[in-house]
Amino acid sequence: MLKLTTGSGHDVRPHSNVDTAQLMTAQEQTHQQWEEALTFVALKRDKLAYAELFNYFAPRLRAFGMKMFGNEQQALEMVQDTMLNVWKKAALFDATKGCASTWIYTIARNVRFDMLRKKQSRKDDISADDLWLNGEYPEPESEDASAQWDIQLLSEKLAPHFNLLPPAQRDVMERVYLQEKTHQEVSDELAIPLGTVKSRIRLALDRLREALDGTRN
């Protein structure tokens, strides 16, 4: 089993006094760094590049797994299966369809739901018309199994279009709908007002609605 390590020099933790333009540039550089690392893994099976990916994402995936499962063993199983898929399938990553972190968290969500499928049957898919619930996208806080399935299905439709978003909006959307953090948790992590989190989500959803409408047409 791969060893789970903590800490990374690449953790971008923005503060309220950081200039917005500088923050967006830092986020873009971070996204580019992980895209390059995936490219090295895909083309050269570069273990150092993979180690960078693992050291950054594994602790975050473990926290995600602990929140979802409430069980250390299951969380670590999800981390190992996710990062093993990253190693094996790095060549499938396409930067034109989304950033590296979106791709990795999507793998993690799929692994998580594969684990849950052992105990549950998958809910029937929903149409794109069901995406917009009174103009608001649901915050993933419910423990209800049906609600969790709906959020998974919605996220699968949204995630491929995250690369269309500005960095600040994309970062919030990834945290809320891929890492399944609450709006308040995202506000605390990014040191921005709760209203700003909600505003970025609304702006992002407007863009994603247009993208999904274009796909349907």
Side-chain angles (χ1 to χ4, degrees):
M1 181 172 181
L2 293 170
K3 184 179 180 181
L4 182 61
T5 58
T6 59
S8 171
H10 307 293
D11 190 8
V12 178
R13 185 73 65 175
H15 298 279
S16 57
N17 62 341
V18 176
D19 181 80
T20 301
Q22 293 177 335
L23 171 58
M24 293 176 66
T25 300
Q27 290 175 334
E28 287 293 347
Q29 290 175 344
T30 300
H31 287 306
Q32 183 178 2
Q33 175 183 341
W34 303 135
E35 290 174 8
E36 291 175 351
L38 281 173
T39 299
F40 277 109
V41 172
L43 298 180
K44 301 182 178 180
R45 313 310 289 168
D46 191 309
K47 293 183 179 180
L48 289 178
Y50 179 73
E52 281 193 28
L53 290 166
F54 191 93
N55 288 338
Y56 180 84
F57 285 101
R60 290 157 178 78
L61 293 172
R62 177 185 174 279
F64 171 53
M66 285 296 296
K67 180 178 179 180
M68 294 300 103
F69 294 111
N71 180 285
E72 177 80 12
Q73 182 176 353
Q74 288 180 306
L76 291 177
E77 179 182 348
M78 189 200 74
V79 172
Q80 174 158 331
D81 288 351
T82 299
M83 296 310 298
L84 184 59
N85 274 306
V86 169
W87 173 260
K88 290 181 176 180
K89 300 179 180 180
L92 299 179
F93 170 68
D94 185 349
T96 65
K97 295 182 179 180
C99 64
S101 58
T102 299
W103 185 71
I104 291 173
Y105 277 110
T106 299
I107 291 175
R109 291 178 61 85
N110 290 337
V111 168
R112 173 199 167 202
F113 275 84
D114 282 342
M115 294 170 67
L116 293 177
R117 283 190 190 101
K118 297 176 182 178
K119 298 181 179 179
Q120 303 181 41
S121 60
R122 186 173 180 84
K123 186 180 176 71
D124 290 338
D125 203 352
I126 56 178
S127 66
D129 292 334
D130 296 324
L131 285 170
W132 316 110
L133 309 177
N134 298 322
E136 293 290 339
Y137 195 65
E139 184 171 354
E141 293 179 325
S142 174
E143 296 298 328
D144 178 73
S146 296
Q148 289 295 330
W149 284 121
D150 285 343
I151 291 169
Q152 162 70 1
L153 294 168
L154 294 173
S155 297
E156 287 177 355
K157 293 177 181 292
L158 292 172
H161 302 284
F162 280 179
N163 63 312
L164 301 175
L165 301 172
Q169 294 175 21
R170 182 170 62 199
D171 188 25
V172 169
M173 292 294 287
E174 285 183 355
R175 291 171 188 266
V176 172
Y177 296 114
L178 292 181
Q179 302 177 39
E180 299 192 11
K181 295 178 178 178
T182 67
H183 295 176
Q184 187 60 57
E185 286 174 334
V186 175
S187 172
D188 293 341
E189 287 182 1
L190 298 181
I192 58 177
L194 181 60
T196 301
V197 173
K198 294 180 180 294
S199 176
R200 290 180 183 179
I201 290 174
R202 292 192 195 97
L203 291 171
L205 290 174
D206 285 342
R207 288 174 178 258
L208 294 172
R209 186 202 298 262
E210 295 176 0
L212 285 166
D213 286 343
T215 300
R216 290 177 60 198
N217 295 331

